[in-house]
Amino acid sequence: MQFNLKVLSVAISMAMVPSLAVAVADEAADAKIAKLEQQVQALQSQQNASLTDKVKFNGFVSGAYISSDNDVGYNSADSSANFSEDSKVGLQATFDISDSTQAVLQLMMRGEYDWEVEAEWAYLSHRFENGIKLRGGKLRVPLFMYSDYLDVGYAQPFARPPEEVYGAVPFSSYTGAGASYDVDYDDSTLTMQIFGGESTVKSTGTDVSNLMGANVSWTDEIWTLRAVYGQAQLDGSANSEIDVELAPGVITQADYIVLELNDEKGTFAGVGASYDNGEVIAVTELTRVEVDGAYPDTDSGYLTLGYRIKEFTPYVTVAYMKTQDNDERLPLSQAAAVQMVAFNAERMAYSLGLRWDAIDNVAVKFDVTYADDFGDTSGGFSGNSIDTSTGKFTYDDTLIYTVKFDAVF
């Protein structure tokens, strides 16, 4: 419509050009042209104002420096400076098709994927008169408390969600549909949500089909309680990396298939709670992931405590993860021995951090995370290989440093 109005404006001007050429002094014609152009400009202004009301743009950006005292690979950190892993840019557009229908598109560019543009959200939503909200398209898998804000670092108190919990599920979005319904009480809201669809694990190409689940959360804006359950069929390969010695002192890494998944059933269950009264912050989540066969079943959890002192928020986080089915990977064969090395994992992680809300909509975060208690496992890190001289894993702990800024606009 905007294009047509512009064409109309040009057409009117072109149509009047002959008259102007033959009667330059014709004040009546000039006045008529001016009036028509004013009308076109007024219509264009009205249309632009209408579009401004219907379309909203916002975004977020994070830049991070991370490093470690060794090459275990916690959050892909190693002993060199890494500026890519936690750096990202997101742009989101929301178009109000009607008072109850919206189209949402969120484009993500992550440093870890060479800033490749990817649609993280692309869905259509509609709220019915009975209060049910239906969404369809590409959506975030709503498994965790911070799932909807997983990439928006500014919305999180810590430098990054605890890897022990949030790293247990290797995909974050799905293509399908979901529905939610809010029940409002005097001072709180109960939200029920169901979802279903399919996805793909980006790093391995493993297909995730028949994905379905539900969650329920209650909040009074200070306390939030949440529970979730999901399940899916997994088909594809579980890969890991192995050091390959090409020549004495020359080592490279190669992917190898640890396990083939043939429509194995996977389930996810989690509970979470948070408290935020404007000063004290407390967040916790407990999760269990189970997959049929030799793929690991993992329990994990964390507790974060923080306290706001004006623009500063110091915080501490304690997190853990441990595989619960190690007896299914006893080294009774070469394949089982490889799976035991690749899948058996346990560790504790302790984070001490500070969030500084430096200016409006910009937070700077400093974080030091120490992980240990690997037991007789790699700790869940592909970079922790077995030292052939000792028969043990090379590292039994790691220390990670992070400096990061998160902004929204």
Side-chain angles (χ1 to χ4, degrees):
M1 185 60 184
Q2 185 178 13
F3 172 78
N4 292 335
L5 292 175
K6 291 180 177 178
V7 172
L8 176 62
S9 175
V10 174
I12 292 171
S13 299
M14 293 181 62
M16 299 304 296
V17 165
S19 299
L20 294 173
V22 297
V24 175
D26 190 339
E27 295 181 357
D30 289 344
K32 186 174 183 180
I33 292 173
K35 183 177 181 180
L36 289 171
E37 289 181 340
Q38 288 176 358
Q39 291 175 342
V40 171
Q41 290 174 359
L43 288 172
Q44 288 178 330
S45 298
Q46 291 176 5
Q47 186 181 54
N48 291 337
S50 178
L51 287 173
T52 301
D53 292 339
K54 289 184 176 181
V55 182
K56 299 176 183 175
F57 293 97
N58 52 42
F60 50 89
V61 57
S62 295
Y65 157 85
I66 59 175
S67 188
S68 174
D69 66 339
N70 56 34
D71 295 329
V72 163
Y74 191 107
N75 196 44
S76 299
D78 56 29
S79 53
S80 61
N82 185 330
F83 293 92
S84 299
E85 183 62 25
D86 283 340
S87 298
K88 62 193 72 174
V89 177
L91 302 173
Q92 181 170 314
T94 302
F95 183 81
D96 293 329
I97 299 174
S98 69
D99 292 341
S100 54
T101 306
Q102 290 183 322
V104 177
L105 174 65
Q106 185 184 94
L107 300 178
M108 284 295 306
M109 291 153 281
R110 296 181 174 88
E112 63 178 312
Y113 299 139
D114 295 327
W115 303 103
E116 177 183 349
V117 179
E118 183 180 9
E120 191 68 25
W121 283 0
Y123 66 84
L124 190 68
S125 73
H126 179 80
R127 183 178 293 279
F128 295 91
E129 292 183 356
N130 58 10
I132 294 177
K133 185 177 182 180
L134 183 65
R135 300 190 300 175
K138 188 173 184 181
L139 302 153
R140 185 77 76 179
V141 185
L143 297 179
F144 303 106
M145 294 191 71
Y146 289 93
S147 284
D148 284 347
Y149 314 100
L150 196 58
D151 292 309
V152 188
Y154 185 83
Q156 305 163 14
F158 21 57
R160 73 182 68 85
E163 182 72 13
E164 286 66 31
V165 171
Y166 282 75
V169 178
F171 62 98
S172 60
S173 61
Y174 73 101
T175 301
S180 62
Y181 181 70
D182 294 340
V183 180
D184 293 322
Y185 300 102
D186 289 342
D187 299 314
S188 63
T189 301
L190 179 70
T191 300
M192 295 169 282
Q193 184 178 26
I194 57 174
F195 56 92
E198 61 185 19
S199 186
T200 300
V201 180
K202 188 179 180 69
S203 57
T204 65
T206 298
D207 292 328
V208 181
S209 59
N210 298 325
L211 172 67
M212 62 182 72
N215 65 59
V216 57
S217 64
W218 169 90
T219 182
D220 64 355
E221 304 298 333
I222 296 178
W223 287 94
T224 298
L225 305 175
R226 189 176 191 275
V228 58
Y229 174 83
Q231 65 179 47
Q233 300 296 126
L234 308 176
D235 188 64
S237 59
N239 297 354
S240 187
E241 292 183 337
I242 187 172
D243 290 336
V244 178
E245 187 171 1
L246 301 177
V250 180
I251 297 176
T252 187
Q253 288 190 325
D255 283 340
Y256 69 101
I257 297 175
V258 181
L259 178 67
E260 288 287 353
L261 298 167
N262 297 308
D263 283 330
E264 307 290 355
K265 181 181 179 181
T267 63
F268 177 94
V271 293
S274 69
Y275 175 85
D276 188 342
N277 67 355
E279 292 183 342
V280 177
I281 301 172
V283 190
T284 185
E285 289 184 84
L286 301 173
T287 62
R288 164 163 286 194
V289 176
E290 294 184 349
V291 179
D292 290 345
Y295 197 85
D297 300 341
T298 306
D299 283 353
S300 57
Y302 74 91
L303 171 64
T304 294
L305 299 175
Y307 189 82
R308 293 188 180 91
I309 308 171
K310 296 185 179 179
E311 64 268 28
F312 297 98
T313 306
Y315 67 85
V316 295
T317 297
V318 178
Y320 77 95
M321 60 87 68
K322 186 176 184 179
T323 51
Q324 300 296 324
D325 56 346
N326 294 353
D327 57 344
E328 296 186 17
R329 295 180 292 277
L330 297 176
L332 302 179
S333 65
Q334 182 177 1
V338 170
Q339 293 164 4
M340 180 187 71
V341 172
F343 291 152
N344 291 6
E346 62 180 275
R347 69 173 181 267
M348 294 290 296
Y350 310 90
S351 298
L352 179 63
L354 175 68
R355 172 184 171 130
W356 171 34
D357 286 281
I359 57 177
D360 289 343
N361 300 332
V362 178
V364 181
K365 299 173 181 176
F366 308 89
D367 182 282
V368 177
T369 294
Y370 175 71
D372 69 348
D373 286 347
F374 296 173
D376 296 326
T377 76
S378 66
F381 301 114
S382 60
N384 195 6
S385 57
I386 292 180
D387 185 338
T388 55
S389 63
T390 64
K392 297 181 179 179
F393 288 96
T394 305
Y395 305 106
D396 54 15
D397 64 3
T398 185
L399 187 63
I400 306 95
Y401 314 94
T402 303
V403 179
K404 183 184 181 189
F405 75 85
D406 294 311
V408 293
F409 52 90

